[in-house]
Amino acid sequence: MFIKDTTRKAKFPKNLLKWVKTNILVKVVALSAYTSLIFLVGVLYHIISIPNDEIKSNLNNPLIELNSKEYDPKVSTPEVLEIGISQKDIQKLTDKRAFAISSGVLMSSSKDYVPAKIKHKDKIVEAKVRLKGDWVDHLTSSKWSLRISVKGDNTLFGMKELSIQHPVHRNYLGEWILQKAMRRESVIALDFDFIKVIINDRDFGIYAVEEHFDKRLVENNEFREGIIVKFDEDLRWANIQRNFKDITLPSTYYSSAIDSFQGNSIIKDDTKRTIFKKAFNLLERFRSGELPPNKVFDHKKMARFYALSDFLGGQHATVFHNLRFYYNPVTSLLEPIAFDAMGCTKINQLLFTQAFESEDISFDLDRTLFSDELFLNEYLSELERFSKKSYLEGLFIALRDDIKKKVNILNSEFSGNDFELLAMNDLMSNSLFIRNSLTPVKGVHAYLKSIDNKKMVLRIGNIQGLPIEITSISRNSFELFRPEKKTLLKGKLTAEPVKYQDITFRTVGAFDLNEKHISELALEYTVVNTSIKNQQSIVPWSLYDNSFLETDFIRQEPNVKDFPFFVVNENEKIIFIKPGNVPLDRNLIIPKGYTVVSPNGVTINLVNGAKIISYSPLKFVGTEDAPIVIQSHDRTGQGIAVLNAEKQSILSYVHFNNLSAPKEEGWELTGSVTFYQSPVRISNCQFMLNHDSDDALNIVRSNFEIRDSHFAQTFADAIDLDFSDGAMYNLSFKNAGNDGIDASGSYVNIFDVIIDEAGDKGISVGEGSTILAMNVQVNRANIGFASKDTSSLLLNNGSISNSKIGFAVYQKKPEFGPAKIEAKSIKLENVDKPYLIQKGSQLLFDNTLIKETP
């Protein structure tokens, strides 16, 4: 007799797929095909994701006897389970299945069981069966997952209660290997095997058979009978069912009841009830934070279980609602039971890292475990042991013969799959991942703070997730220094900054140490409670000065209100400078959002290295008879800078004398007067006698206009324009130490300019600048006009006299291209070399193309 789908139609939202969605047979066929496709994609992913050289290596690996991909009855045959269920009860299971699919999850109870007769070998037993699984993937293929409970004193495969399911739900061979490995390490494991299942005379092929939770499970693992407890899953699945597959619902870790698998017998047996209460109290007090892990669990076995779950790719077993605990009546501690692990799955994160990186509160159980030093130390030690190549080799040698049999049974239905090769490659990948985690490419940043012959202080920060212990400082593997005390650094979350601490090291023996030796030294450390030594170079300077924020000039607070020469009008956002002399013997910092106004006749004298930084525009308007003077009579004043002022500054009749470029340690400008991203209009101003600066006036990334002004005896460039646009009218330059006007990446119009005595160039344009200059006279310069690096200089009317080179056109920087000068009506008088033209660049003089010079 066959199982037939006679499901009643379920109600679904009206749409074009209504018939498909309400026809269970169609669902079965479609979802069965989908399940098969998912499996095939998984196999292909495993094969594709393994590097070719690794596959080739494993093909020659003596651990793997390359089993035939085809079934061979001479190697092994599956045991057969024949199940008989009446048509009436099949209909009950079918209806339950249909409801589960429509609601998204399967909710089971004792009322769902139906009677069955089961034949194994020559023995027929009475039993009851129900659908099994939480997610409905257990029900969508033709292989429905079933829970079997054997009646009376009988058992099947030595089990009173068992589950059968499609092998895909436990990752085929993967779970079998995991359960065997767990048992080898004295972690309680389930009996797990592969059998053939026949239901009502229909062959349903190979199923995975899995032991359920009763006293026989404990005894099969050679432990005394004891209670098995868990977090009750019913609340979780009921919430999901009500919200139809919404798995984003809050975790029920804190609200799930603690339950056992021996409910009826506990109620009837006083001894069992007392033991259950102990187990219940232990787990509940752990969850509430009242008891540490080592007072609740056999923490060594628990740590081993977690480390094995990483290595064996069975992390699914550690999800809180999958955890099962055996209460050991001898030790009065809870021990983990390996269940629903999906073994031999490739991992990409350790359980430790996953616990702290995830914000899901369902990981709070894991976070509590890993926050305990005893548990964490044991876990890390076990990780190192399991990740060794020899451990994996030993495991496969021990299981070799049985693996051959299990693979052969799987091939009786799922032929053509390299189950063993897939499992081996995934475990090799996990082993390598763990070893790499224990030996990070770089585990710490280490900076030198101080040093002398007897001790060294380093500022060290852990930059990866696992905790580390700092062990020593060595040179050429010879230990020279040890920490004054045992030093552990906690792991760092990915999204948090590195936390540093100062660690003092003392010399082990006599050694003449100074900063020159730092590059020869190596800091040694290990992941906590492991033996693998890691080394890291030491940066021979301090991470940062503790007083940095207090002393760093650019980050100091505005202080204009500290000076009696300034009046602040908060209503109009104006800062007034009082008339008269203003001595500044310390730095002045003007805040953003104001306008700084100075009347005529004011003299600001910068002494004692003082400078002015303004984040607001300046409105300094003097007169010809009463100019505003900004000077440094002792030549220590550093100058003035306007930074990121949004509105235009206006300077009229302002004299800048004897100033240098503002600078502090780690911060320096190039201009004695600087406008950075601050528009400015300058007229009738003087810039004279600047020193210790590249530029008398530096305008950066700003729009500007300069009129009727004079530049004399400047240290280097008189005007330096960087990425700025503007115009100049009626300017004079006398005795510039370098260039009169230097423009980079700028667009400028220049009219009526006289440059007399320039140490390098009269006008220099570069880095893609475009300059139009009319009526410009250059006298006594090294080069009259220069254009370089994709720049274009257009000259009309002017002269070059008493100079070494008239025009220079060339490419200086490789990231740019040739340059161009187009000159009309430019007179050359007493010029040693009229042209210097690089190949590719161009000089067009009075409409005549001048050939390049050799």
Side-chain angles (χ1 to χ4, degrees), residues 464-527:
Q464 49 82 57
L466 295 177
I468 62 173
E469 179 178 359
I470 305 299
T471 57
S472 63
I473 295 173
S474 64
R475 185 174 72 165
N476 298 326
S477 299
F478 182 76
E479 187 180 84
L480 299 176
F481 289 80
R482 291 178 190 160
E484 279 187 330
K485 58 184 179 180
K486 185 174 182 178
T487 304
L488 305 179
L489 301 179
K490 291 183 179 180
K492 185 190 83 68
L493 296 180
T494 301
E496 72 176 7
V498 178
K499 297 176 182 178
Y500 290 91
Q501 66 183 74
D502 292 344
I503 300 173
T504 301
F505 295 80
R506 296 284 179 180
T507 56
V508 175
F511 179 66
D512 184 17
L513 182 65
N514 57 56
E515 292 189 21
K516 296 179 181 179
H517 294 125
I518 295 299
S519 62
E520 304 170 13
L521 302 181
L523 176 70
E524 294 191 346
Y525 63 93
T526 65
V527 171

Side-chain angles (χ1 to χ4, degrees), residues 423-466:
M424 168 63 90
N425 274 312
D426 282 349
L427 294 186
M428 286 180 65
S429 173
N430 294 348
S431 178
L432 179 61
F433 180 85
I434 294 170
R435 288 200 302 276
N436 288 341
S437 298
L438 299 180
T439 56
V441 173
K442 185 175 184 182
V444 299
H445 290 325
Y447 295 86
L448 175 66
K449 184 176 182 181
S450 64
I451 188 173
D452 59 40
N453 283 339
K454 294 183 179 180
K455 69 176 182 178
M456 184 189 320
V457 179
L458 300 182
R459 182 158 288 176
I460 303 175
N462 188 353
I463 64 171
Q464 49 82 57
L466 295 177

Side-chain angles (χ1 to χ4, degrees), residues 119-385:
K119 180 180 179 182
H120 175 231
K121 295 182 180 179
D122 296 328
K123 181 180 179 182
I124 298 177
V125 300
E126 297 286 339
K128 56 181 180 179
V129 302
R130 65 168 174 81
L131 299 180
K132 175 259 180 190
D134 303 309
W135 296 118
V136 295
D137 58 337
H138 280 268
L139 307 175
T140 52
S141 76
S142 60
K143 294 178 187 284
W144 302 356
S145 297
L146 298 174
R147 172 71 47 75
I148 300 173
S149 179
V150 182
K151 295 182 178 180
D153 296 328
N154 296 307
T155 62
L156 290 171
F157 311 107
M159 294 178 267
K160 188 73 174 173
E161 289 198 57
L162 57 149
S163 298
I164 59 172
Q165 55 203 313
H166 194 304
V168 71
H169 298 306
R170 293 293 187 261
N171 199 25
Y172 295 91
L173 186 66
E175 187 78 6
W176 182 88
I177 291 175
L178 179 137
Q179 294 293 342
K180 292 297 182 184
M182 288 284 182
R183 186 164 297 195
R184 277 166 49 88
E185 290 293 338
S186 296
V187 175
I188 298 176
L190 310 179
D191 273 348
F192 188 89
D193 209 342
F194 304 105
I195 62 172
K196 177 186 284 191
V197 173
I198 297 173
I199 304 177
N200 290 352
D201 301 326
R202 178 181 172 182
D203 187 346
F204 280 83
I206 299 301
Y207 270 67
V209 58
E210 180 180 71
E211 186 175 11
H212 195 52
F213 302 92
D214 62 13
K215 68 176 185 177
R216 288 172 180 79
L217 164 63
V218 176
E219 292 168 352
N220 289 340
N221 282 267
E222 300 180 347
F223 286 93
R224 284 182 52 180
E225 181 181 350
I227 297 295
I228 297 175
V229 294
K230 65 171 183 174
F231 294 103
D232 186 11
E233 300 178 66
D234 287 351
L235 178 60
R236 166 183 165 81
W237 296 114
N239 279 329
I240 292 174
Q241 184 185 60
R242 173 177 287 184
N243 291 274
F244 195 72
K245 299 185 181 180
D246 184 0
I247 60 173
T248 64
L249 291 169
S251 167
T252 53
Y253 167 59
Y254 289 109
S255 53
S256 293
I258 296 171
D259 200 1
S260 77
F261 289 91
Q262 298 97 341
N264 291 332
S265 62
I266 289 174
I267 293 173
K268 298 175 182 178
D269 189 311
D270 290 341
T271 301
K272 288 182 179 181
R273 189 163 58 251
T274 301
I275 294 174
F276 171 71
K277 286 182 179 179
K278 286 186 178 181
F280 175 92
N281 272 277
L282 286 174
L283 197 53
E284 193 62 79
R285 289 178 183 271
F286 167 79
R287 183 164 59 176
S288 67
E290 297 176 63
L291 285 178
N294 67 305
K295 297 295 185 182
V296 176
F297 306 103
D298 183 323
H299 76 280
K300 289 189 176 183
K301 283 191 180 180
M302 194 71 169
R304 191 181 311 149
F305 166 66
Y306 268 73
L308 271 172
S309 296
D310 278 330
F311 164 62
L312 296 168
Q315 295 176 339
H316 191 249
T318 66
V319 178
F320 86 91
H321 57 81
N322 287 335
L323 288 170
R324 309 290 187 259
F325 301 106
Y326 158 67
Y327 174 79
N328 189 323
V330 177
T331 62
S332 191
L333 295 171
L334 299 176
E335 297 188 20
I337 301 172
F339 165 66
D340 195 4
M342 294 294 289
C344 297
T345 302
K346 190 179 294 186
I347 66 170
N348 57 21
Q349 197 175 36
L350 295 177
L351 284 168
F352 170 85
T353 310
Q354 181 177 275
F356 290 105
E357 292 286 355
S358 174
E359 296 180 357
D360 189 339
I361 60 173
S362 66
F363 286 99
D364 278 7
L365 184 151
D366 293 355
R367 279 189 280 270
T368 304
L369 288 173
F370 287 120
S371 297
D372 181 78
E373 184 178 347
L374 287 175
F375 178 87
L376 179 58
N377 287 350
E378 194 67 32
Y379 164 78
L380 292 172
S381 176
E382 294 286 53
L383 269 186
E384 181 182 6
R385 179 165 71 93

Side-chain angles (χ1 to χ4, degrees), residues 803-822:
S803 299
K804 292 182 179 180
I805 299 171
F807 302 96
V809 198
Y810 55 96
Q811 178 182 347
K812 182 179 180 180
K813 297 180 179 180
E815 61 267 31
F816 290 94
K820 179 180 179 180
I821 292 180
E822 187 174 334

Side-chain angles (χ1 to χ4, degrees), residues 85 87 609:
I85 307 173
Q87 187 58 48

